[in-house]
Amino acid sequence: MSADKMTVGFKNIYYALMQDDVRGGATTYGTPKRFAGAMQATLNQNPSSQTVYVDDVPVATVTSVGVLEMELGVDNITKEAAAELFAYRIDDNGVLLEATRGKSPYIALGFESESIDGGKLMNWIYKGKLTVPSQEFQTKGESVEIKSQSVTAQFVNRLSDGERKVSVHSNDEGINAEVILDWFEKVYVPVLTGGTTPTV
């Protein structure tokens, strides 16, 4: 990444519930929804490598990419999103019941980051699960320290096509402007020579 495309911001976190993911078939998602206000995020690809030795001499190196881990700091997760993502419930009085009932769903997670050149780096990570968020509480002292919510997630490759993450920079050459405009309207569908991957 060139210096003028270095990121200087983080915003617009969306999630979409994964509806189906069939090996060699299709992956489908629901309509993306706003998740929470973005504060910070860290992505770790967890790469690993191993060197092969023959006759006491290194002759080859094998590399692999592990599970994609994400640490996400947000301002406040709505109770509606919490109910969907963590298998919570909301009672008749609008109170969030934080006992997990059932399995949390796989989701796609999209977000945006501004860059030095005024462009936007857009991302979708295709298949992962979020952990129940951690929270910190602290009494007010002479100075007020604002506490955020922290969520971790693990993402794996889709069964349908093996894809895991896609990204695009709005100022790159040859980018269809509609791709950027519609980025959060639905989970992005990769378009490859000879046709479109079986994903909607």
Side-chain angles (χ1 to χ4, degrees):
M1 179 182 293
S2 61
D4 62 347
K5 287 186 171 61
M6 294 176 64
T7 57
V8 293
F10 173 52
K11 61 183 179 180
N12 292 336
I13 309 175
Y14 283 77
Y15 73 93
L17 297 179
M18 175 177 280
Q19 298 171 334
D20 207 0
D21 184 30
V22 179
R23 189 181 302 277
T27 302
T28 58
Y29 299 94
T31 301
K33 302 176 183 179
R34 288 294 294 263
F35 176 57
M39 298 186 73
Q40 63 85 27
T42 302
L43 288 174
N44 184 1
Q45 298 279 357
N46 286 311
S48 63
S49 64
Q50 183 173 354
T51 302
V52 179
Y53 288 82
V54 176
D55 293 332
D56 296 333
V57 177
V59 296
T61 298
V62 179
T63 62
S64 64
V65 177
V67 173
L68 175 60
E69 293 183 342
M70 185 177 197
E71 295 181 10
L72 186 61
V74 297
D75 61 351
N76 183 59
I77 301 171
T78 66
K79 62 185 177 184
E80 291 79 13
E84 281 195 322
L85 296 173
F86 310 123
Y88 291 165
R89 292 170 299 156
I90 300 173
D91 77 0
D92 295 341
N93 293 316
V95 177
L96 184 65
L97 309 180
E98 299 185 27
T100 299
R101 302 295 177 98
K103 295 182 179 180
S104 58
Y106 280 109
I107 65 166
L109 194 72
F111 56 94
E112 173 185 342
S113 182
E114 295 181 7
S115 56
I116 294 174
D117 65 355
K120 297 182 290 187
L121 179 64
M122 318 294 286
N123 300 268
W124 274 109
I125 313 178
Y126 279 141
K127 184 179 182 180
K129 290 190 176 185
L130 303 179
T131 63
V132 173
S134 62
Q135 293 177 279
E136 293 184 33
F137 301 93
Q138 179 178 320
T139 188
K140 290 190 292 185
E142 293 183 3
S143 61
V144 177
E145 185 175 350
I146 298 174
K147 298 296 184 180
S148 63
Q149 289 184 291
S150 178
V151 180
T152 60
Q154 291 190 328
F155 294 89
V156 296
N157 294 36
R158 296 193 299 199
L159 294 176
S160 64
D161 56 10
E163 297 295 338
R164 180 164 66 173
K165 180 179 181 293
V166 291
S167 63
V168 62
H169 195 282
S170 62
N171 286 350
D172 281 348
E173 294 182 4
I175 300 300
N176 183 342
E178 291 185 2
V179 169
I180 305 299
L181 292 174
D182 297 339
W183 193 255
F184 296 119
E185 296 298 316
K186 61 182 180 179
V187 178
Y188 177 72
V189 178
V191 179
L192 303 173
T193 302
T196 303
T197 56
T199 307
V200 295

